[in-house]
Amino acid sequence: MPVSVLLIDDEVLVRKGFRHTLEEAADVVVVGEAGRAADGLLLARRHQPSVVLTADVADLARLRTCVTGGVIALVGECTDEQLHRVLTDGARGLLLKRASREELVAAVRAVARGHAHLGAEVAGRLLDRFEILPPPEEADRGLRLLSDRERQVLVRMARGRSNDEIARELYLTCATVKSHVSHILAKLGQPNRMHAALLAQRLGLLTRTG
């Protein structure tokens, strides 16, 4: 079944841009658009979408009762206060409006499956605040331990690719990708792929490796 998405944003051009980006993904369909949360709530009740992407966070608590996956809040910039508010109100994700196409689609897919998703910049700030990631010097030493193929896999992890997608892009088997991911986490000393992906972004690996 395709992932159905409802868009809420008071800027028509922004909505059109998101629609175009999302519908480039074969497994995503936009079922409606609205300019305000009140109108979006009516559409959400009618369509029961997998995911609501909303820049109007005034009615998150009610919107989340009308989706099968969850609500993703869209913001221009994110403050700690705003992050606390949208998560308290029940959002399953938060993305900056300047998020990449890959990150937008990955977030929609993740939330549709019932997972949570924070944009890389937002999650990175939170992790830095709680000192979960290692200092840059230590992390850079870990990156030097990676093979060229492991770096290619890590870059795609940081771009939100699933193991299946990485396997297709690099012409590998899923078992081989899983093995590379395990080696990457061990060499970087990270507990899961989200931490490894954020580490790659913090160190600028996306701009250094294709």
Side-chain angles (χ1 to χ4, degrees):
M1 293 292 292
V3 176
S4 56
V5 179
L6 172 67
L7 296 171
I8 304 174
D9 194 302
D10 62 357
E11 297 183 62
V12 175
L13 290 179
V14 171
R15 293 203 310 269
K16 299 302 182 187
F18 280 128
R19 176 187 278 272
H20 177 73
T21 296
L22 290 169
E23 291 190 334
E24 284 184 336
D27 59 335
V28 179
V29 59
V30 177
V31 296
E33 299 178 22
R36 301 178 305 156
D39 298 327
L41 184 59
L42 295 175
L43 290 175
R45 286 171 174 163
R46 180 188 309 163
H47 295 290
Q48 297 287 303
S50 309
V51 176
V52 171
L53 276 167
T54 180
D56 186 342
V57 297
D59 218 349
L60 286 177
R62 287 200 289 177
L63 278 171
R64 68 175 181 166
T65 67
C66 303
V67 297
T68 59
V71 179
I72 299 174
L74 294 166
V75 297
E77 297 294 338
C78 181
T79 64
D80 289 347
E81 180 181 355
Q82 188 176 39
L83 178 61
H84 181 268
R85 176 191 171 190
V86 298
L87 295 182
T88 300
D89 286 349
R92 293 294 293 169
L94 187 144
L95 280 178
L96 297 179
K97 287 190 176 183
R98 61 176 177 270
S100 67
R101 174 198 177 279
E102 291 84 359
E103 188 173 29
L104 176 63
V105 175
V108 165
R109 288 171 175 160
V111 172
R113 293 194 296 266
H115 304 309
H117 186 99
L118 295 177
E121 289 185 48
V122 178
R125 241 179 53 210
L126 285 176
L127 292 177
D128 285 345
R129 182 176 177 181
F130 291 102
E131 299 182 349
I132 294 174
L133 294 182
E137 300 80 9
E138 180 182 331
D140 213 25
R141 285 195 296 271
L143 284 181
R144 288 197 292 271
L145 297 176
L146 302 183
S147 68
D148 288 343
R149 179 63 86 189
E150 287 166 347
R151 280 176 172 256
Q152 291 172 344
V153 171
L154 177 58
V155 166
R156 284 157 177 81
M157 288 165 56
R159 288 175 177 160
R161 305 288 203 276
S162 67
N163 283 355
D164 287 344
E165 290 170 326
I166 295 172
R168 287 196 297 271
E169 289 185 18
L170 297 179
Y171 303 100
L172 302 172
T173 67
C174 284
T176 299
V177 173
K178 288 179 181 178
S179 177
H180 282 317
V181 172
S182 295
H183 292 156
I184 290 167
L185 297 182
K187 290 179 180 180
L188 296 181
Q190 297 302 305
N192 56 52
R193 63 190 296 139
M194 183 185 78
H195 286 70
L198 290 169
L199 188 62
Q201 295 221 5
R202 176 204 263 181
L203 296 177
L205 191 62
L206 296 185
T207 61
R208 289 189 259 160
T209 310

